């Protein structure tokens, strides 16, 4: 399906794609994996539409300069070890950047928070440093992958502020981005992220929340071939609230936002495509 970059309206919100593991999809109850071949197809398709994948930090900075029209954000949650072997070569080949959200409290561990499995190994500190050396933005996904909307004050502080400090020790550089585990965010979590010094934070569908500390994302999976990918990109700007393009690090008025939003997996709206399942982000 051909899409003209000149005729494509500028999105009201940044389009950020959410990936997780890149590898074997044969046992994937949470639909968190894509094969390297599918990832390559998806990035090649975006390229044919005049779009290039970049890190979230680069995307937001470009939008602030008024230069973000042809860019999409690429994020990889959880920090799976297969990122180095399977995702990074595809990103290099397609000339794309990305943000990798990792769990410094589970370095070298696995996705124990997914009860149905399978167990997928996570990056070690050396693996994170290798990804950073390749130009990948490293962000925090918390310490241990817990739902921050259900965390007490001590856990919230550790998952947000302590994870940033530990990651900066690992990478030797600043950590600007945060990603809410399970995509769930409420006013208290957003304030904690802002107060910890992050420049932005990614959710999934933040509902009434908005701004740089509740950026929406779109789950991309193995089933997202050309038509589905096209629809997810085009309809994103219709489903999401606008995000103000503020300089990175500028404060946002999150203290007067509505009550918590706890639904991490909203259904995809009715679309003229057969067998379009609900998204199942983790």
């Amino acid at each position: 399906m051909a899409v003209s970059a000149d005729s494509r309206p500028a999105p009201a919100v940044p389009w950020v794609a959410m990936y997780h593991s890149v590898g074997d999809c044969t046992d994937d109850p949470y639909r968190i994996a894509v094969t390297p071949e599918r990832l390559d197809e998806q990035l090649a398709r975006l390229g044919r539409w005049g779009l290039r994948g970049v890190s979230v930090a680069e995307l937001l900075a470009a939008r602030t300069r008024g230069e973000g029209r042809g860019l999409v954000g690429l994020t990889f949650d959880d920090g799976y070890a297969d990122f180095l072997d399977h995702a990074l070569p595809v990103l290099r080949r397609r000339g794309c950047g990305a943000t990798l959200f990792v769990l410094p409290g589970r370095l070298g561990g696995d996705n124990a928070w997914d009860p149905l499995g399978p167990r997928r190994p996570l990056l070690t500190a050396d693996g994170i440093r290798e990804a950073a050396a390749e130009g990948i933005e490293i962000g925090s996904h918390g310490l241990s992958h817990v739902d921050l909307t259900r965390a007490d004050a001590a856990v919230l502080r550790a998952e947000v502020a302590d994870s940033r400090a530990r990651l900066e020790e690992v990478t030797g550089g600043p950590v600007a981005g945060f990603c809410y585990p399970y995509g769930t965010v409420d006013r208290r979590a957003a304030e904690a992220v802002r107060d910890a010094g992050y420049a932005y934070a990614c959710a999934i569908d933040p509902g009434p929340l908005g701004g740089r500390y509740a950026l929406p994302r779109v789950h991309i999976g193995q089933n997202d071939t050309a038509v589905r990918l096209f629809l997810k990109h085009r309809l994103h700007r219709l489903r999401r609230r606008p995000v103000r393009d503020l300089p990175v690090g500028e404060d946002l008025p999150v203290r007067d936002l509505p009550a918590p939003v706890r639904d991490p997996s909203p259904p995809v709206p009715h679309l003229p495509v057969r067998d379009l399942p609900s998204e199942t982000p983790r």
Side-chain angles (χ1 to χ4, degrees):
M1 179 182 298
V3 180
S4 169
D6 292 336
S7 64
R8 187 176 56 250
V13 294
W15 196 77
V16 182
M18 178 181 64
Y19 289 94
H20 290 78
S21 173
V22 180
D24 185 10
C25 295
T26 55
D27 183 12
D28 189 23
Y30 297 109
R31 293 186 295 164
I32 63 170
V34 297
T35 63
E37 295 78 15
R38 179 68 78 210
L39 175 63
D40 188 63
E41 291 174 8
Q42 291 165 345
L43 298 186
R45 182 74 58 181
L46 292 176
R48 287 194 288 273
W49 295 341
L51 301 169
R52 181 172 66 89
V54 297
S55 69
V56 178
E58 182 176 347
L59 174 63
L60 295 178
R63 283 173 57 94
T64 299
R65 298 190 305 268
E67 301 171 356
R69 185 179 183 86
L71 302 179
V72 299
L74 299 180
T75 63
F76 293 80
D77 288 11
D78 303 333
Y80 291 102
D82 56 34
F83 180 86
L84 293 177
D85 293 330
H86 297 150
L88 189 56
V90 176
L91 293 169
R92 286 186 188 135
R93 184 163 57 250
R94 296 298 173 187
C96 292
T99 299
L100 180 64
F101 291 114
V102 301
L103 297 153
R106 293 185 182 270
L107 298 178
D110 60 34
N111 56 328
W113 60 88
D114 285 336
L116 299 181
R119 299 279 72 84
R120 298 179 185 270
L122 304 176
L123 288 167
T124 63
D126 285 342
I128 291 171
R129 284 189 285 266
E130 182 178 345
E134 292 290 338
I136 300 300
E137 181 193 11
I138 304 299
S140 173
H141 201 27
L143 280 177
S144 55
H145 206 287
V146 300
D147 183 346
L148 299 186
T149 66
R150 302 177 186 275
D152 62 28
V155 171
L156 181 60
R157 181 171 57 254
E159 291 289 329
V160 174
D162 293 358
S163 69
R164 184 171 187 243
R166 289 174 63 171
L167 265 187
E168 289 180 341
E169 290 180 1
V170 169
T171 64
V175 172
F178 187 85
C179 175
Y180 301 100
Y182 305 101
T184 53
V185 56
D186 60 13
R187 177 177 53 211
R188 190 173 65 110
E191 290 177 353
V193 169
R194 179 199 59 196
D195 293 346
Y198 292 93
Y200 71 85
C202 291
I204 297 176
D205 190 341
L209 297 177
R212 280 183 178 264
Y213 297 99
L215 293 172
R217 294 183 296 165
V218 179
H219 171 67
I220 304 296
Q222 182 68 10
N223 293 331
D224 290 315
T225 52
V227 173
R228 290 172 55 96
L229 192 63
F230 172 74
L231 289 170
K232 284 187 174 184
H233 181 258
R234 285 300 292 264
L235 293 178
H236 180 71
R237 64 188 179 86
L238 302 177
R239 297 176 59 199
R240 312 293 186 176
R241 299 178 64 204
V243 173
R244 293 190 299 151
D245 291 325
L246 299 177
V248 172
E250 184 167 336
D251 196 18
L252 293 178
V254 297
R255 295 189 182 276
D256 296 323
L257 294 173
V261 177
R262 296 188 181 275
D263 181 8
S265 53
V268 175
H270 178 68
L271 298 174
V273 178
R274 292 185 177 181
D275 302 322
L276 184 60
S278 298
E279 297 175 352
T280 310
R282 300 293 300 168

